[in-house]
Amino acid sequence: MTPLDPPSKLTRKDFVSDQEVRWCPGCGDYAILSAVQRTLPEFGVRPEKTVFISGIGCSSRFPYYMNTYGFHTIHGRAPTLATGVKLANPDLDVWVITGDGDGLSIGGNHLLHLLRRNLNLQVILFNNRIYGLTKGQYSPTSLIGKRTPSTPMGSVDPPLTPAAFALGCGGRFVARAIDVDAKGLPIVLRRAHQYVGTGFIEAFQNCPVFNDGAFEHFTAKEVAAETQLHLEHGKPMLFGAKGDRGLRLRPGVLELEIVTVGEDGITEADVLVHDETNRAMAFLLASLEPPTFPIALGVLYAAPSTAPTFEVALLGQNAQALAKQGAGDIDALLRKGHTWEVSAGG
Amino acid sequence: MGALAYEKALETGMDTPAARQETDREALDSVVIRFAGDSGDGMQLTGSQFTDSTALMGNDLATFPDFPAEIRAPAGTTFGVSGFQIHFASYDILTPGDAPDVLVAMNPAALKVNLADLKRGGLLVVNTGAFTPGNLKKAGYSNDPLEDSTLDAFRVLKIDISKLTLQAVEPFDLGTKEALRCKNMWTLGLMMWMFGRERESTVHWLRGKFAKSPVIADANIAALNAGHIYGETAEMPSGIGGYAVSKASLAPGHYRNINGNEATSWGLVAGAQLAGLKIFLGSYPITPASTILHTLSGLKNFGVVTFQAEDEIAAIGAAIGASWAGSLGVTSTSGPGVALKTEALGLAVVTELPLVLVDVQRGGPSTGLPTKTEQSDLLQAVYGRNGDCPLAVIAAATPGECFFMAIEAVRLATKYMTPVILLTDGALANGAEPWRIPNVSEIAPFPVTYRTDPEGFHPFHRDPETLARNWAIPGTPGLEHRIGGLEKAKNSGNISYDPDNHHQMTKIRAAKIAGIADDIPLQEVEAGPSEGELVVVGWGSTYGSIAQAVRTSLRAGLSVAHVHVRYMSPMPRNLGELLRRYKKVLVPELNNGMLVKILRGEYLVDAQALGKIAGQPFKVAELEAAIRTHLER
């Protein structure tokens, strides 16, 4: 081990820790871990400058497997620690690892404010629509009617759509990928990392033990082509085995509809072109789901990076105060305002 | 003659030939004044301005602001009454005083709420202008107390302050409502005359506060002067006049007034500088701790980063994150906030990161009495977490001491890599006292060092003496490591479910905190014999009342000593032995018996509780009576 050698080209190995990975066989988390470890070397950020912060849940074991700095915190609170780390040292490259229970249930408030504040970091939310580590209770993304040990007659509350939640919180970068999509996941990791601001990624992650096949209706090989819409900025939103099905706005209402190029006089020019800076469209895309619509994957939304990140704005005020008032002198501070002298014998 | 002279003086300014000669003043050693009015009447400002000028006069003083939780309770009601008590004297004093000698009542509700406290024969100043049938009814008076026998036991100065204020500010063309808002300054002017205070500091303050609306500043100054002139010129009932309280002989030095939250904030800044760290404050607004957030937010040029978080949990979470990344993480709150932060405190304990949590205690349980003082978080601070979860707890005894205890909290947190809870309370937070300003440059620094050497690095390797682990911050090459809330293997910090390891780690964490006892001062006896009949053991803001009561009892020839504990966990090494030197141990606390439980549990002494849970500090007389009772038993 020669950790102090001058920076050389980073490889996957630089990001693999010596800890044995302890997820269930077949868990989608393995694929995500592998994609992250394969993609991170590209960014050129040294492991010592990289920080993974997680909450509680299966996905939150993630930091132990990364040979970077890591903090496995408490349930739902990873965004709060990440905020403190980033404000204390903005040079660090911070990744928040969370899940649908950790990030959207117990930690929903923190995720909301993290997205709203727009710190320059990345969030990967592993959505498996179930509580795994506590053995299979339903989660805020479980579909209505989900039968679990805590809902033997089926859950009754409607699920949350993580991407729509992120957009609603004021999230400025929202993307999606499937755990085992070895091509699509690295693309969104790269884009989220490039983005100056909070890059939010929802990873559809299969839990083979407690919720196997939760996303099979669009991840299965046989249906993938007809149910997955891979978004690319500036390209028409086309999908299907022949690539001839597309989305367009239904005239007169704010709704999307599916059209087929070549049918009913539809040409490719009628199909909407993906504009990732269009927030209203991002909302529409976030809420599409099979069987009626394809699932939208890739970068749903990337606001132009015009807003300063939270740490830049906040620490900017410190710099401003320092420039205006000079470095604080504690002894002078204690003597500011009304003071008086008591002399010996007086 | 008097009224006429007042009007004349108003026209010509002060110091007319009719003005009463200053030599008439009666000399007093000590005075307790309580200003009371509607929460919108500006009583807190009146009190703090009187305090400032009193400090400048060289008196010793102590104050006790007492205000309702409602920002603007319905005008004229008893629950909207706001009070400010100041005790000042020509000798050193320790408490804001038991019963006021002077009560200023701006309306019937203020009279109703406070009259019972006024000393018999005390001076009552009432604003008759507010004694309207409507206000009397709102205060629950069926008869006008100014007209019946209610006030027979007191010397009463009835003045239509409302009317005189309107008159005084007439030249400024304010609306009636705005004009009436100056009546607190009129009252202040009168009281400043009565006790021979200088107005300059208040004039200066008004000019600054209303810099953007000079007319308002002028009107307030006119009202202040008019009140003063009234005192100089108006005919007073017999037995009421001007008083003089001569300077106290304080220890030589440079002084200022300070309240506990200011002192805590500045102490944290000083502590961070002594440690060579940047402060990161994560906080969420909560009474009575918010002014720490405000104060530190104004000190950005000291390298203080403040973060108003979305909740109490986020506030401590961010502070822990910042500590891990190499800052001094601080979070400030009150009891309900500590309850929310509890799980995260456990995380800081198990990951062994430095953290300072300031708990400005208030009345509980639950939301309790937000603006009233109490000492009922002691057990929460010492024991209130899941698992065996020891940390250091210290407590400040006076507003000024908050400064030094904040520095001490930083020292212990960084030296022992542990969260430290600093307990203060509402009475300390808002109470002010003259404070001899220390030179921070003369305090010994305690610089921290981060681990940088990768050779043989393990995150949970410890200093053999302090048992503190390495502080290895993200960004350091070769020290990449993972920490978290799961139990760790003794050195590597890797997750470990090994039974022996957990046993050992629990013991190590406990030993680390217990070892702090070797690094803190031995317990001293504040006053009284070093052995004897009775020792009164206190902690926190009850210091002044206990010290005063013990002082008086000693003068009366009783065998009583005062011990005041500042290190609540761990406690000073000699405390148990010290307590056993007395036949009886009495523990007065503003709670239902907490320190007394710890003392009995730790030292097997027969300590007796004296709890007061009224949201108010102890009166000296209450403690004197208790001391007598316990000595007679």
Side-chain angles (χ1 to χ4, degrees):
Chain A
M1 203 165 113
T2 51
L4 287 181
D5 282 354
S8 51
K9 200 169 151 46
L10 296 164
T11 67
R12 176 180 172 276
K13 264 191 171 167
D14 291 310
F15 291 92
V16 179
S17 82
D18 59 359
Q19 296 296 295
E20 191 190 335
V21 183
R22 295 191 203 178
W23 286 309
C24 307
C27 177
D29 291 359
Y30 283 98
I32 301 172
L33 176 65
S34 162
V36 170
Q37 287 172 336
R38 273 186 291 117
T39 314
L40 247 54
E42 290 177 19
F43 305 153
V45 181
R46 306 271 323 156
E48 71 264 18
K49 292 277 190 189
T50 308
V51 178
F52 278 82
I53 302 180
S54 63
I56 292 292
C58 294
S59 59
S60 287
R61 295 294 182 98
F62 197 96
Y64 290 113
Y65 310 132
M66 297 296 299
N67 189 34
T68 62
Y69 283 90
F71 206 144
H72 179 211
T73 73
I74 45 179
H75 209 9
R77 317 303 173 199
T80 73
L81 277 98
T83 300
V85 167
K86 195 72 189 172
L87 288 173
N89 186 356
D91 293 341
L92 296 172
D93 191 9
V94 177
W95 298 76
V96 173
I97 304 293
T98 185
D100 42 316
D102 187 63
L104 295 171
S105 197
I106 193 166
N109 188 35
H110 305 308
L111 189 54
L112 184 168
H113 291 281
L114 184 77
L115 289 161
R116 169 178 78 81
R117 292 194 182 106
N118 193 40
L119 284 105
N120 189 19
L121 48 73
Q122 298 74 237
V123 181
I124 311 178
L125 185 144
F126 293 35
N127 180 14
N128 58 12
R129 291 185 168 168
I130 205 77
Y131 282 85
L133 203 59
T134 51
K135 295 195 174 16
Q137 300 82 0
Y138 83 115
S139 91
T141 54
S142 295
L143 303 183
I144 292 179
K146 184 74 188 166
R147 285 173 192 272
T148 75
S150 63
T151 51
M153 296 171 71
S155 63
V156 297
D157 38 337
L160 207 71
T161 305
F165 170 85
L167 289 165
C169 294
R172 299 177 61 83
F173 178 97
V174 178
R176 271 177 179 164
I178 296 166
D179 51 5
V180 294
D181 183 352
K183 201 175 128 220
L185 184 53
I187 290 175
V188 297
L189 289 172
R190 213 168 283 136
R191 285 292 312 277
H193 188 261
Q194 276 166 7
Y195 189 75
V196 181
T198 300
F200 176 83
I201 297 170
E202 177 190 9
F204 295 111
Q205 174 244 323
N206 191 44
C207 171
V209 175
F210 294 109
N211 205 16
D212 197 20
F215 302 111
E216 214 169 33
H217 55 295
F218 61 81
T219 57
K221 253 197 195 122
E222 320 81 72
V223 298
E226 295 301 325
T227 54
Q228 293 180 10
L229 169 65
H230 293 270
L231 299 168
E232 273 185 82
H233 183 60
K235 298 264 175 70
M237 294 194 267
L238 288 165
F239 64 101
K242 290 184 243 159
D244 58 352
R245 304 180 71 202
L247 294 179
R248 92 171 170 181
L249 268 179
R250 194 189 290 271
V253 284
L254 198 61
E255 270 177 19
L256 292 171
E257 64 178 359
I258 295 174
V259 292
T260 306
V261 177
E263 280 179 16
D264 306 321
I266 301 283
T267 69
E268 204 173 298
D270 293 309
V271 175
L272 282 169
V273 169
H274 181 47
D275 173 6
E276 65 184 23
T277 65
N278 184 335
R279 188 160 178 262
M281 183 58 70
F283 265 108
L284 292 177
L285 292 171
S287 36
L288 301 182
E289 218 185 313
T292 323
F293 285 98
I295 190 91
L297 299 168
V299 178
L300 278 68
Y301 183 57
S305 287
T306 48
T309 61
F310 184 70
E311 67 275 22
V312 165
L314 191 82
L315 300 177
Q317 292 188 340
N318 278 65
Q320 211 183 321
L322 191 64
K324 209 172 147 193
Q325 301 161 261
D329 173 348
I330 183 75
D331 280 319
L333 174 69
L334 298 184
R335 283 156 184 80
K336 221 173 118 185
H338 290 302
T339 64
W340 66 97
E341 202 69 43
V342 172
S343 49
Chain B
M1 161 70 190
L4 193 67
Y6 169 70
E7 269 176 44
K8 239 197 180 122
L10 265 189
E11 280 167 26
T12 52
M14 4 168 199
D15 301 331
T16 66
R20 196 173 276 108
Q21 289 306 304
E22 288 303 292
T23 47
D24 296 348
R25 291 185 177 275
E26 185 187 331
L28 298 174
D29 286 339
S30 123
V31 180
V32 177
I33 304 178
R34 186 183 296 174
F35 296 94
D38 237 359
S39 46
D41 279 345
M43 291 298 99
Q44 301 303 322
L45 288 179
T46 310
S48 58
Q49 286 306 309
F50 192 90
T51 304
D52 275 357
S53 73
T54 293
L56 291 172
M57 295 299 291
N59 296 130
D60 196 12
L61 65 89
T63 71
F64 180 64
D66 186 17
F67 44 85
E70 293 78 11
I71 299 299
R72 289 279 186 274
T77 57
T78 51
F79 52 88
V81 172
S82 171
F84 187 102
Q85 186 161 312
I86 171 167
H87 184 190
F88 58 103
S90 59
Y91 53 86
D92 72 313
I93 51 167
L94 299 160
T95 77
D98 285 5
D101 304 300
V102 182
L103 172 64
V104 178
M106 297 302 285
N107 68 3
L111 182 69
K112 179 106 184 180
V113 170
N114 292 288
L115 188 63
D117 291 340
L118 182 60
K119 275 187 190 154
R120 291 184 77 79
L123 172 60
L124 174 65
V125 180
V126 279
N127 172 21
T128 58
F131 280 64
T132 61
N135 279 346
L136 287 165
K137 201 176 155 206
K138 271 191 247 175
Y141 281 118
S142 45
N143 293 315
D144 186 345
L146 303 181
E147 304 298 332
D148 62 19
S149 59
T150 310
L151 309 179
D152 284 359
F154 311 101
R155 292 174 293 147
V156 186
L157 187 52
K158 297 180 200 173
I159 309 174
D160 190 341
I161 295 174
S162 304
K163 189 175 124 198
L164 292 173
T165 302
L166 289 177
Q167 235 173 47
V169 304
E170 208 186 336
F172 302 97
D173 272 341
L174 307 178
T176 309
K177 208 173 158 188
E178 286 246 281
L180 274 177
R181 293 183 69 166
C182 299
K183 65 181 185 292
N184 63 332
M185 286 298 122
W186 195 99
T187 312
L188 179 62
L190 174 64
M191 299 314 285
M192 283 182 160
W193 166 78
M194 191 173 279
F195 294 96
R197 316 282 98 168
E198 301 291 341
R199 280 160 287 165
E200 276 76 353
S201 64
T202 299
V203 169
H204 180 81
W205 175 81
L206 285 166
R207 291 248 178 264
K209 181 169 170 70
F210 298 112
K212 284 187 182 150
S213 38
V215 177
I216 301 286
D218 288 342
N220 274 288
I221 292 165
L224 179 77
N225 289 335
H228 199 271
I229 292 168
Y230 184 90
E232 291 171 22
T233 58
E235 226 164 89
M236 298 280 176
S238 73
I240 302 176
Y243 304 94
V245 179
S246 54
K247 285 183 180 183
S249 57
L250 298 168
H254 205 61
Y255 278 78
R256 66 169 305 128
N257 273 339
I258 197 163
N259 69 47
N261 277 358
E262 264 173 350
T264 300
S265 309
W266 295 345
L268 289 167
V269 173
Q273 286 195 356
L274 293 166
L277 294 174
K278 285 188 172 177
I279 290 191
F280 176 92
L281 175 78
S283 191
Y284 185 74
I286 185 169
T287 303
S290 300
T291 49
I292 295 176
L293 169 61
H294 304 169
T295 303
L296 287 173
S297 295
L299 298 177
K300 295 191 198 305
N301 62 322
F302 284 79
V304 178
V305 176
T306 57
F307 170 58
Q308 183 181 318
E310 60 269 25
D311 61 23
E312 295 280 0
I313 301 170
I316 189 172
I320 295 171
S323 275
W324 184 49
S327 287
L328 172 70
V330 179
T331 187
S332 53
T333 188
S334 187
V338 179
L340 284 164
K341 293 177 195 297
T342 294
E343 188 192 13
L345 264 180
L347 180 68
V349 167
V350 81
T351 54
E352 303 190 42
L353 286 168
L355 180 79
V356 175
L357 185 154
V358 181
D359 175 5
V360 187
Q361 300 165 95
R362 65 190 219 187
S366 187
T367 311
L369 301 167
T371 59
K372 308 296 174 193
T373 198
E374 209 164 272
Q375 299 181 301
S376 46
D377 292 346
L378 179 61
L379 294 181
Q380 173 174 236
V382 177
Y383 301 120
R385 289 164 294 283
N386 64 306
D388 281 293
C389 196
L391 46 70
V393 182
I394 60 178
T398 66
E401 201 179 277
C402 291
F403 179 82
F404 300 100
M405 291 313 264
I407 295 176
E408 183 67 342
V410 178
R411 183 184 74 89
L412 295 177
T414 51
K415 184 168 177 184
Y416 292 88
M417 294 293 281
T418 178
V420 176
I421 295 180
L422 169 59
L423 293 173
T424 71
D425 64 27
L428 294 175
N430 297 313
E433 64 173 3
W435 185 58
R436 193 151 63 106
I437 307 169
N439 284 317
V440 177
S441 48
E442 287 167 12
I443 303 175
F446 40 87
V448 303
T449 42
Y450 306 122
R451 170 86 186 212
T452 51
D453 184 6
E455 191 59 41
F457 168 73
H458 280 302
F460 281 79
H461 267 175
R462 292 167 193 282
D463 179 306
E465 218 168 277
T466 61
L467 298 181
R469 77 173 184 93
N470 298 300
W471 194 355
I473 64 172
T476 317
L479 302 190
E480 295 84 356
H481 65 275
R482 276 65 58 190
I483 58 173
L486 289 169
E487 183 62 282
K488 295 136 207 9
K490 203 171 148 196
N491 285 323
S492 69
N494 288 331
I495 300 173
S496 167
Y497 294 104
D498 179 74
D500 289 341
N501 179 72
H502 179 54
H503 185 88
Q504 276 188 49
M505 286 297 275
T506 302
K507 292 286 188 188
I508 290 170
R509 285 187 289 263
K512 180 176 86 168
I513 299 303
I516 292 175
D518 293 328
D519 196 11
I520 59 176
L522 290 176
Q523 184 65 53
E524 287 180 6
V525 179
E526 303 277 342
S530 57
E531 58 186 351
E533 288 297 313
L534 175 67
V535 60
V536 182
V537 186
W539 67 281
S541 70
T542 53
Y543 176 83
S545 320
I546 297 174
Q548 186 67 58
V550 167
R551 205 183 267 186
T552 314
S553 305
L554 284 168
R555 275 205 292 266
L558 304 178
S559 169
V560 56
H562 176 198
V563 162
H564 214 73
V565 185
R566 281 146 176 108
Y567 293 85
M568 314 311 295
S569 178
M571 287 177 155
R573 282 268 184 255
N574 63 330
L575 183 60
E577 181 270 324
L578 195 154
L579 297 184
R580 280 186 214 102
R581 293 196 229 139
Y582 300 87
K583 287 186 189 148
K584 291 176 176 171
V585 180
L586 176 64
V587 188
E589 295 177 85
L590 300 175
N591 59 46
N592 202 22
M594 294 194 172
L595 175 61
V596 72
K597 275 197 184 71
I598 299 178
L599 294 179
R600 292 174 74 107
E602 290 287 320
Y603 305 119
L604 277 174
V605 290
D606 184 20
Q608 295 296 312
L610 175 64
K612 176 173 181 178
I613 320 108
Q616 302 284 337
F618 278 111
K619 289 187 161 62
V620 175
E622 292 168 343
L623 294 171
E624 284 173 19
I627 289 169
R628 251 180 235 115
T629 312
H630 279 265
L631 281 171
E632 281 160 15
R633 251 181 216 167

